[in-house]
Amino acid sequence: MANFALIGGSGLDQLSLLEGKVIEKIDTPYGKEPVEICRGVIDGLNIVFLSRHGTTEKKPPHMINYRANIWALSQFEPKAVIALASVGAVLPEDDIGAIAVPDQIIDYTWGRETSYNTGKEKFINFIDFTYPFDMDLREAIVDASEELDLPIIDGGTYACTQGPRLETAAEVDRIDNDGGHYVGMTLMPESCLARELNLKYAAICQIVNTAAGRGASEKGIVLDDTKEALTKATKESVNLALATFRSLAD
């Protein structure tokens, strides 16, 4: 039976729905610290779960070992990988608590290990990254949302910033001018590493606040105010991911 992988973000560090839960610590070529993978069954589906930030010590976005995480997931040969990520909304019409399925990325990060190419290989693994998310998997997510009668925002550009600090109002203005719709900190280099390993990868984003200088956040962002929206949107996103996996299994 095929495995399906779910990556949890800041709002999801464990998956309580898993039955027959087994925790495996996977050694990788990318650091001394093993990657903790939790696997089990949900509604007859083999689910492999990774907490992106870790389960005990929480790694901030710029310190996550993305290469180790994605390599460890690849060892289970998942049929699809869905990543959850909380974001701020650049556009005023995108409501807090809404769910978005982006189709593009702009990368504003620096200093992160963005490739499995080390310079020691006999060839360079150039990847086509025109469309950073697997288009078929994206379509399956959108179709599943319709089956669930769950409103989503179909498409949009995810702007990946360095973190862990939030952005300035001027930076958000720049992102807006660049064509960004959602601001987050983790989908790069996660998505391009998945592409290098030929994993079908797409993201479901939970809008938990308006971006800096926009709307309700004009005077600043109060992080405690995001918790309720994150909890609700994360639960809906997990249900959407599982519905997508079920459709792919069928």
Side-chain angles (χ1 to χ4, degrees):
M1 186 182 296
N3 290 318
F4 296 93
L6 182 65
I7 300 176
S10 54
L12 187 70
D13 57 10
Q14 57 181 329
L15 199 56
S16 58
L17 296 171
L18 280 173
E19 298 176 356
K21 182 164 43 177
V22 175
I23 296 176
E24 297 191 23
K25 295 192 174 182
I26 309 297
D27 291 320
T28 80
Y30 305 100
K32 297 179 181 179
E33 204 172 314
V35 176
E36 185 172 297
I37 300 287
C38 188
R39 60 181 178 85
V41 177
I42 301 177
D43 296 335
L45 297 172
N46 287 338
I47 304 295
V48 178
F49 177 74
L50 166 71
S51 176
R52 179 189 289 119
H53 295 275
T55 55
T56 51
E57 295 182 357
K58 296 298 181 182
K59 299 289 186 185
H62 68 299
M63 294 182 69
I64 293 171
N65 191 338
Y66 295 95
R67 291 195 301 175
N69 280 355
I70 297 303
W71 190 91
L73 272 186
S74 73
Q75 302 310 293
F76 295 89
E77 300 182 347
K79 185 173 183 179
V81 180
I82 293 180
L84 304 190
S86 58
V87 297
V90 175
L91 303 181
E93 60 264 31
D94 291 343
D95 295 329
I96 293 174
I99 294 172
V101 184
D103 57 7
Q104 277 297 332
I105 288 178
I106 301 174
D107 186 12
Y108 297 97
T109 66
W110 67 90
R112 301 184 182 189
E113 296 286 357
T114 61
S115 175
Y116 291 106
N117 291 289
T118 65
K120 298 179 181 179
E121 293 82 10
K122 294 182 178 178
F123 67 94
I124 300 173
N125 183 20
F126 292 104
I127 59 169
D128 178 3
F129 208 52
T130 306
Y131 302 102
F133 303 108
D134 184 88
M135 301 301 281
D136 291 336
L137 181 54
R138 269 201 77 259
E139 184 177 347
I141 294 171
V142 173
D143 289 345
S145 73
E146 294 174 356
E147 291 292 327
L148 293 175
D149 198 22
L150 176 66
I152 64 163
I153 304 168
D154 181 7
T157 296
Y158 177 102
C160 192
T161 59
Q162 181 72 351
R165 70 164 177 85
L166 300 181
E167 303 72 35
T168 68
E171 287 170 332
V172 172
D173 287 343
R174 174 196 175 192
I175 288 168
D176 191 3
N177 289 334
D178 286 348
H181 302 98
Y182 324 111
V183 187
M185 302 175 185
T186 54
L187 295 190
M188 283 296 291
E190 195 173 87
S191 54
C192 63
L193 292 169
R195 181 64 54 86
E196 280 195 15
L197 296 183
N198 295 315
L199 296 176
K200 293 184 179 298
Y201 173 102
I204 300 174
C205 295
Q206 302 80 48
I207 298 178
V208 297
N209 59 270
T210 50
R214 301 297 172 106
S217 70
E218 187 174 352
K219 294 182 180 179
I221 297 172
V222 180
L223 292 179
D224 286 344
D225 293 347
T226 70
K227 291 181 180 178
E228 184 177 350
L230 178 58
T231 299
K232 177 178 180 294
T234 297
K235 182 177 180 180
E236 291 174 338
S237 296
V238 170
N239 289 336
L240 177 56
L242 294 176
T244 304
F245 293 153
R246 280 193 290 271
S247 70
L248 296 174
D250 293 339

